[in-house]
Amino acid sequence: MTCPSAADTALELDFVLLQFRCRSVKSFFLNGQKYCTYDQPTLFDLLSYFDYNTALLVVEYNAVITSKSEWKNILISDNDKIEIVTIVGGG
């Protein structure tokens, strides 16, 4: 799989899972998986794109726990590391 060309970026958020080094795009790590994008989404955009229930998770951004109030202001940059922990209830 190769990084998409500029013509393939019709969607506002065009994330592509890659198993190799990305060229000419920003790459980031989400739960240990490497992704790349031509866009510069916010952390909130990323959570929405991957359809996370934001009421039930904790987000670590570059080794710092973030609050929900910060998610719309944090721009994803090259080589960022994001870890998402989902909270599961039970008895």
Side-chain angles (χ1 to χ4, degrees):
M1 178 180 258
T2 60
C3 290
S5 68
D8 293 331
T9 59
L11 297 174
E12 183 177 349
L13 293 174
D14 185 24
F15 296 103
V16 179
L17 174 61
L18 297 176
Q19 299 299 323
F20 56 90
R21 189 177 184 135
C22 296
R23 295 188 178 128
S24 303
V25 294
K26 291 181 206 91
S27 61
F28 62 92
F29 296 86
L30 175 61
N31 292 338
Q33 292 276 326
K34 187 173 186 175
Y35 293 84
C36 56
T37 181
Y38 286 101
D39 300 316
Q40 188 169 24
T42 64
L43 189 53
F44 181 81
D45 294 334
L46 188 71
L47 296 171
S48 297
Y49 180 83
F50 285 102
D51 202 27
Y52 279 98
N53 180 348
T54 58
L56 300 172
L57 54 86
V58 174
V59 179
E60 180 183 293
Y61 174 75
N62 292 330
V64 176
I65 301 296
T66 60
S67 68
K68 288 182 185 181
S69 62
E70 299 173 301
W71 293 351
K72 290 185 179 182
N73 299 319
I74 296 173
L75 294 174
I76 304 301
S77 298
D78 203 31
N79 293 315
D80 280 349
K81 291 175 181 53
I82 302 146
E83 295 292 328
I84 299 173
V85 177
T86 356
I87 300 167
V88 178

